[in-house]
Amino acid sequence: MNIITHWNPKRDLEHLQNRLHIFLGNQIGSSQGSGQAETQSEWTPLVDIAENDKEFTIKADLPEVKKENVKVTLEDGSLCIAGERKQEKDGQRRFHRIERPYGAFERRFSLPEAALADKMKAEFENGILRVHIPKAEEKRRETMSIEIH
């Protein structure tokens, strides 16, 4: 069986940065205030962007994020996916280790010229956000001969 692993250097760097923040207590380069717990860190949901003849699709993994905590907006040709994953609060349990990041997130994507932004649709199911962006039909180019003088 063949297994394909997609390398994502940005994700690897973000993972390393998050691990360093946890290890060093979020004291280097973190935008979080010093009052935050050591186990919290910023997170960036992973996305896949695909296209076919009819549309572009952005698929974002948002596990344990409620639909009402997700916002999809369009501003100046840029699509923004924002929201928040809230940390569990349970007075009965004592956590010994928290590795999954929580808090607010925001991802921005520039839309291509072929995108029909006014006809976008978004759906959210089982922690997966899918944004469908229809494409404008390609204008067929007419071919004509030009007489040479």
Side-chain angles (χ1 to χ4, degrees), residues 48-147:
D48 292 337
I49 301 175
E51 84 174 278
N52 60 27
D53 293 341
K54 296 180 180 183
E55 70 178 5
F56 300 96
T57 305
I58 298 176
K59 183 175 160 182
D61 288 342
L62 303 174
E64 296 186 15
V65 176
K66 294 180 181 178
K67 180 180 175 180
E68 53 270 8
N69 292 337
V70 178
K71 189 169 150 183
V72 179
T73 57
L74 180 66
E75 184 179 329
D76 298 327
S78 182
L79 176 73
C80 178
I81 299 172
E84 182 176 10
R85 177 164 61 189
K86 298 185 180 192
Q87 186 171 9
E88 279 183 56
K89 303 270 189 218
D90 188 348
Q92 302 296 322
R93 292 190 290 176
R94 233 182 32 201
F95 288 96
H96 294 279
R97 184 177 190 124
I98 298 176
E99 292 185 348
R100 298 179 309 141
Y102 295 91
F105 63 85
E106 182 176 295
R107 297 288 311 261
R108 290 191 176 271
F109 307 95
S110 296
L111 294 179
E113 287 183 27
L116 294 174
D118 58 332
K119 296 189 179 179
M120 288 191 315
K121 294 181 195 172
E123 57 191 12
F124 188 83
E125 185 178 357
N126 296 329
I128 305 290
L129 174 70
R130 284 184 180 84
V131 181
H132 301 276
I133 309 161
K135 287 177 156 181
E137 288 187 30
E138 283 188 44
K139 294 180 184 176
R140 294 187 179 186
R141 297 179 187 209
E142 294 182 23
T143 304
M144 57 187 245
S145 296
I146 299 173
E147 186 177 330

Side-chain angles (χ1 to χ4, degrees), residues 14-38:
E14 288 172 349
H15 179 70
L16 177 62
Q17 181 181 23
N18 285 340
R19 301 287 292 184
L20 282 170
H21 285 224
I22 291 168
F23 180 72
L24 298 174
N26 285 340
Q27 294 181 10
I28 58 166
S30 175
S31 61
Q32 294 181 338
S34 57
Q36 296 288 335
E38 285 184 351

Side-chain angles (χ1 to χ4, degrees), residues 4-13 46:
I4 298 174
T5 303
H6 297 282
W7 181 56
N8 182 342
K10 182 178 184 269
R11 180 180 59 214
D12 291 346
L13 287 172
L46 301 177

